[in-house]
Amino acid sequence: MSHNHLARATALAGIYQAIGAVSHLARHGSMDTATVEPCLYSLFQIDAPTVEAVFGTAGAVVPGMQGLVAQLTGAAERNLEITRCVIQVLRLEANLARHPAALARLRMGVTAAISKRDHFGLCHPALFAHFATLYQDTLSQLKPRIIIHGEPLHLRNPDNQDRVRTLLLAAVRAAMLWRQVGGSRWHIVFRNKVILEEAQQYLRRLAL
């Protein structure tokens, strides 16, 4: 799998896409299926040939790339809460990498979810419930604990809680991919212009 700047930008966009969906759920109580499906799809990809293939079809991480560009350029739609969550996800994944038992439990949980995906589809409540439980059994036991802010009415909804935990799991999966292709916090701090250029080129290729 390539370790170039586009690969790193794509993996980082995967984190932003999942966290952006979490933020929207927390504030509005709804989710965009086209944004969420690539996040869920990525959870099942073990041996994808490219980073982009982890998320599905070409253009699958457009929302994440748009969010990444907004964060790096300071655009009006920039959301510092999303940036805070992304940083926490990167820290949580780094901690997860030091806990082989939790990693093994996650692999088992993903394998067990394949039959549910095949029977119900990616965005079925049964699949969200499965991954939410998996998140609670593994990542919720590690630090940092990711705190989501939003409308209490939406956050108290059990279905939304399952969706949020599943999307956080997808964000951690993208963070794992980010590390696997050579990404580090130093890339965000010192090479963010390169990442920004790759993200903008990605969107231009899709005429967005």
Side-chain angles (χ1 to χ4, degrees), residues 44-84:
F44 295 95
Q45 307 313 304
I46 306 301
D47 296 312
T50 66
V51 172
E52 191 168 39
V54 170
F55 301 99
T57 58
V61 293
V62 162
M65 286 292 191
Q66 291 172 330
L68 178 56
V69 169
Q71 298 301 103
L72 293 180
T73 60
E77 58 270 31
R78 184 183 185 191
N79 186 326
L80 294 179
E81 178 67 13
I82 290 178
T83 297
R84 179 190 66 81

Side-chain angles (χ1 to χ4, degrees), residues 69-117:
V69 169
Q71 298 301 103
L72 293 180
T73 60
E77 58 270 31
R78 184 183 185 191
N79 186 326
L80 294 179
E81 178 67 13
I82 290 178
T83 297
R84 179 190 66 81
C85 285
V86 168
I87 292 171
Q88 286 188 317
V89 164
L90 291 171
R91 291 175 57 205
L92 180 57
E93 190 280 328
N95 193 12
L96 172 64
R98 296 191 289 269
H99 289 79
L103 283 168
R105 175 71 182 89
L106 283 169
R107 292 189 192 99
M108 290 174 57
V110 169
T111 300
I114 292 175
S115 61
K116 290 184 174 65
R117 177 202 64 188

Side-chain angles (χ1 to χ4, degrees), residues 22-160:
V22 167
S23 177
H24 191 273
L25 262 170
R27 288 182 288 130
H28 304 288
S30 63
M31 64 182 190
D32 175 54
T33 301
T35 298
V36 170
E37 280 191 343
C39 301
L40 271 67
Y41 180 88
S42 71
L43 291 172
F44 295 95
Q45 307 313 304
I46 306 301
D47 296 312
T50 66
V51 172
E52 191 168 39
V54 170
F55 301 99
T57 58
V61 293
V62 162
M65 286 292 191
Q66 291 172 330
L68 178 56
V69 169
Q71 298 301 103
L72 293 180
T73 60
E77 58 270 31
R78 184 183 185 191
N79 186 326
L80 294 179
E81 178 67 13
I82 290 178
T83 297
R84 179 190 66 81
C85 285
V86 168
I87 292 171
Q88 286 188 317
V89 164
L90 291 171
R91 291 175 57 205
L92 180 57
E93 190 280 328
N95 193 12
L96 172 64
R98 296 191 289 269
H99 289 79
L103 283 168
R105 175 71 182 89
L106 283 169
R107 292 189 192 99
M108 290 174 57
V110 169
T111 300
I114 292 175
S115 61
K116 290 184 174 65
R117 177 202 64 188
D118 294 344
H119 183 72
F120 295 114
L122 277 175
C123 286
H124 193 276
L127 197 62
F128 282 116
H130 175 90
F131 280 127
T133 299
L134 184 60
Y135 182 91
Q136 287 181 295
D137 290 346
T138 55
L139 294 169
S140 286
Q141 309 304 314
L142 304 177
K143 292 183 179 180
R145 294 288 298 274
I146 299 177
I147 305 300
I148 302 301
H149 301 289
E151 293 294 328
L153 177 66
H154 302 319
L155 291 173
R156 285 196 297 265
N157 182 306
D159 288 338
N160 284 340

